[in-house]
Amino acid sequence: MPDRILYSFRRCPYAMRARLALVVSGTQCELREVKLSDKPEAMLEASPKGTVPVLVLPDGTVIEESIEVMRWALGQSDPEGWLERDDPDLIADCDGPFKHALDHYKYPNRYDDCDPLPHRARGLEFLEMLDARLADGGQLCGRKRGITDAAVFPFVRQFANHDRDWFDAADLPHVHPWLEGHLQSPLFKTVMQREKPWKPGQEPVALAL
């Protein structure tokens, strides 16, 4: 079992994109599934902020931001050339305004006087922008998937799943097949392996490659 340790949560889009890059790069690591309501002390010692993903390297270095995990993994090995298809501004738009709209749309009760529909409309504006980009090559930065696609589609998945009937009816002719293609890919199915929450002393579980 490799010395690298990844603390993850299967359904978290941040953790998903980290796992996508780790798997596509062939980076071996121990996978520690986290129960968010009962975070392991070892993870909190490594990263007190208490959010996933957290990647702990053999020398003790801790990488605790998902996009940094992606770029670190692909910097070690990038067999598909994902870093050639990197759009940091688009990823920042996803992580900023789109994630804000997504949270307020999906979890309106967490926010005072929050009507989810205006936030859904703002999210749709982002999806329409993606749709226009996808019209040319089918992926966000051309004809092949890259880091930008892997960084963005887990959040589009979450947005879509909140009201699937509405999403499927939306006029997004390029977003729909793009998202479905990523969801049905062997890579995505690999990173969605199901594991029980990690406990100290248990037999290590490898991130599937």
Side-chain angles (χ1 to χ4, degrees):
M1 180 61 62
D3 294 330
R4 291 177 290 270
I5 297 169
L6 177 70
Y7 293 94
S8 182
F9 176 59
R10 182 176 179 271
R11 299 198 309 273
C12 170
Y14 292 106
M16 282 180 198
R17 69 187 188 183
R19 297 196 306 270
L20 287 164
L22 288 164
V23 169
V24 84
S25 70
T27 302
Q28 295 183 340
C29 60
E30 177 185 345
L31 175 64
R32 294 184 177 179
E33 178 73 6
V34 172
K35 184 177 181 181
L36 297 181
S37 61
D38 186 19
K39 297 168 186 172
E41 188 61 32
M43 185 188 94
L44 295 175
E45 289 177 359
S47 177
K49 70 185 181 72
T51 59
V52 292
V54 176
L55 181 64
V56 183
L57 302 182
D59 65 359
T61 298
V62 176
I63 307 176
E64 54 185 6
E65 296 295 337
S66 61
I67 196 66
E68 293 178 7
V69 173
M70 296 183 81
R71 293 200 170 107
W72 175 85
L74 295 166
Q76 311 305 303
S77 175
D78 189 9
E80 293 189 10
W82 278 21
L83 290 175
E84 299 170 11
R85 293 176 288 282
D86 187 0
D87 187 333
D89 290 339
L90 181 57
I91 294 171
D93 285 343
C94 174
D95 291 2
F98 180 66
K99 183 61 165 59
H100 180 274
L102 167 60
D103 288 344
H104 285 72
Y105 170 46
K106 186 174 182 181
Y107 308 110
N109 293 336
R110 295 182 181 178
Y111 307 94
D112 294 337
D113 301 322
C114 180
D115 178 356
L117 294 185
H119 297 285
R120 185 177 73 179
R122 281 189 279 275
L124 179 59
E125 291 175 2
F126 178 78
L127 297 181
E128 289 172 340
M129 180 270 291
L130 295 186
D131 201 76
R133 287 187 59 138
L134 292 166
D136 289 336
Q139 301 295 334
L140 292 174
C141 294
R143 298 188 178 278
K144 296 180 180 180
R145 66 185 181 184
I147 188 174
T148 306
D149 302 280
V152 171
F153 90 77
F155 295 90
V156 177
R157 170 187 179 272
Q158 192 176 56
F159 189 93
N161 285 346
H162 184 58
D163 186 341
R164 194 70 201 211
D165 289 340
W166 174 87
F167 177 81
D168 288 345
D171 184 19
L172 298 166
H174 306 292
V175 166
H176 290 148
W178 168 79
L179 177 60
E180 189 64 18
H182 285 286
L183 297 181
Q184 296 303 320
S185 70
L187 174 61
F188 184 68
K189 292 180 179 181
T190 296
V191 306
M192 294 302 284
Q193 68 187 90
R194 293 182 181 274
E195 302 294 344
K196 294 180 180 179
W198 174 80
K199 297 292 184 183
Q202 77 173 44
E203 189 71 20
V205 173
L207 178 67
L209 296 177

